[in-house]
Amino acid sequence: MKKILFGKTGQKVSVLGFGCMRFPVIDNDNSRIDEEQAMEMVHYAIDNGVNYFDTAYPYHGYDFSKGGASEPFLAKALKNGYREKVYVATKLPSWLVETREDMDRFLDEQLERLETSHIDFYLLHSLDRNSWKKLLKLGVKDFLDRAIAAGKITYAGFSYHDQTDLFKKIVDAYDWTFCQIQYNYMDEDYQAGSEGLSYAAERGLGVMIMEPLRGGRLTDPPKGIQAVWDEADTKRSPTDWALQWLWNKPQVSGVLSGMST
């Protein structure tokens, strides 16, 4: 798989990242990952060039109030030499942080849950106007500086769900390595959007894309759309059109897909 440079780091990340939010589960219980099937998926992805794995503290839990099963499972899947082949991204649960000490506590807990000495790409999860204001007041810049200096995280970033004006302010507020935004051909003007994508890339940030298929809805477009696409010389599935639309943009560093099969 083709690899590209990731923002200011010069690291090579695969253009397709493995989202660890939607592993196959047992008996429709989101907290019980079908480990045999999920393990096969993870190892197949790595063996075929995927080297960026994105998880978060609450993924595969009952709700977002406590740690879910995704981080511990990923730790298990990356044993036997696989951890050294990939970059692990996870996120500070911003909505659970009430003190400066909470930031260190969650990070240390995540290092244990992932059974790793460091997290390659660490994000402030799901920033919006309220959470960013709270984290700033609590000293999140100092937290990131100290965590990087201590070697607990390698690169700092944030995922985002709010308007473009705030996105630009956050981009300029810290020496980020990367950010993560929702973006697809239906969401050019949604949240950070095309304007935010260009703004971040121009300032040297790597930009990871979430919701490239809008939760799977772009895999099954309205009748007539495929007929239009089929007029093109190159024939593609709806999924392929959606992903190629993103990969053709030089500002996009990688695209995350929540893998369930």
Side-chain angles (χ1 to χ4, degrees), residues 155-214:
Y155 302 114
F158 64 95
S159 64
Y160 187 74
H161 292 288
D162 210 313
Q163 300 304 309
T164 309
D165 61 335
L166 177 66
F167 178 78
K168 292 180 178 180
K169 291 178 182 178
I170 295 176
V171 166
D172 293 337
Y174 186 75
D175 187 22
W176 310 102
T177 296
F178 70 116
C179 61
Q180 185 171 307
I181 63 173
Q182 178 170 332
Y183 193 59
N184 54 68
Y185 65 72
M186 293 294 291
D187 286 331
E188 290 188 80
D189 299 313
Y190 181 67
Q191 295 184 1
S194 297
E195 185 178 350
L197 170 67
S198 296
Y199 191 86
E202 287 168 1
R203 282 149 184 77
L205 276 68
V207 184
M208 296 299 292
I209 303 300
M210 54 182 159
E211 300 293 345
L213 303 175
R214 252 199 174 199

Side-chain angles (χ1 to χ4, degrees), residues 192-251:
S194 297
E195 185 178 350
L197 170 67
S198 296
Y199 191 86
E202 287 168 1
R203 282 149 184 77
L205 276 68
V207 184
M208 296 299 292
I209 303 300
M210 54 182 159
E211 300 293 345
L213 303 175
R214 252 199 174 199
R217 290 188 290 275
L218 299 186
T219 65
D220 186 22
K223 291 181 179 179
I225 298 297
Q226 187 66 51
V228 174
W229 286 337
D230 287 343
E231 294 178 4
D233 292 336
T234 301
K235 310 305 177 188
R236 303 184 189 279
S237 68
T239 298
D240 198 4
W241 281 115
L243 295 178
Q244 294 296 342
W245 185 85
L246 290 164
W247 284 328
N248 281 334
K249 294 182 178 296
Q251 303 96 331

Side-chain angles (χ1 to χ4, degrees), residues 43-261:
H43 292 168
Y44 183 88
I46 298 171
D47 292 342
N48 285 275
V50 175
N51 71 357
Y52 190 94
F53 283 75
D54 173 270
T55 185
Y57 185 72
Y59 288 177
H60 278 287
Y62 288 111
D63 55 43
F64 272 34
S65 67
K66 58 189 66 175
S70 180
E71 287 179 334
F73 168 73
L74 186 59
K76 187 181 298 186
L78 294 181
K79 292 184 182 300
N80 300 317
Y82 277 103
R83 174 66 180 94
E84 290 71 33
K85 297 180 179 180
V86 303
Y87 301 113
V88 170
T90 194
K91 310 173 187 76
L92 176 73
S94 305
W95 56 93
L96 296 177
V97 172
E98 298 298 337
T99 67
R100 168 66 178 79
E101 291 71 26
D102 283 345
M103 302 177 197
D104 293 306
R105 178 172 59 82
F106 281 119
L107 174 57
D108 288 342
E109 182 182 350
Q110 289 173 285
L111 288 168
E112 290 184 9
R113 284 160 55 83
L114 286 161
E115 298 183 42
T116 188
S117 62
H118 70 284
I119 294 165
D120 301 292
F121 294 95
Y122 195 65
L123 302 91
L124 309 184
H125 199 170
S126 193
L127 290 188
D128 59 19
R129 215 163 293 272
N130 293 329
S131 60
W132 175 239
K133 181 179 180 180
K134 178 183 72 171
L135 292 177
L136 268 183
K137 184 177 181 180
L138 293 175
V140 73
K141 293 182 185 180
D142 174 73
F143 160 70
L144 293 172
D145 286 343
R146 290 177 181 273
I148 291 171
K152 293 182 177 182
I153 66 175
T154 308
Y155 302 114
F158 64 95
S159 64
Y160 187 74
H161 292 288
D162 210 313
Q163 300 304 309
T164 309
D165 61 335
L166 177 66
F167 178 78
K168 292 180 178 180
K169 291 178 182 178
I170 295 176
V171 166
D172 293 337
Y174 186 75
D175 187 22
W176 310 102
T177 296
F178 70 116
C179 61
Q180 185 171 307
I181 63 173
Q182 178 170 332
Y183 193 59
N184 54 68
Y185 65 72
M186 293 294 291
D187 286 331
E188 290 188 80
D189 299 313
Y190 181 67
Q191 295 184 1
S194 297
E195 185 178 350
L197 170 67
S198 296
Y199 191 86
E202 287 168 1
R203 282 149 184 77
L205 276 68
V207 184
M208 296 299 292
I209 303 300
M210 54 182 159
E211 300 293 345
L213 303 175
R214 252 199 174 199
R217 290 188 290 275
L218 299 186
T219 65
D220 186 22
K223 291 181 179 179
I225 298 297
Q226 187 66 51
V228 174
W229 286 337
D230 287 343
E231 294 178 4
D233 292 336
T234 301
K235 310 305 177 188
R236 303 184 189 279
S237 68
T239 298
D240 198 4
W241 281 115
L243 295 178
Q244 294 296 342
W245 185 85
L246 290 164
W247 284 328
N248 281 334
K249 294 182 178 296
Q251 303 96 331
V252 170
S253 301
V255 174
L256 296 172
S257 182
M259 307 293 190
S260 57
T261 67

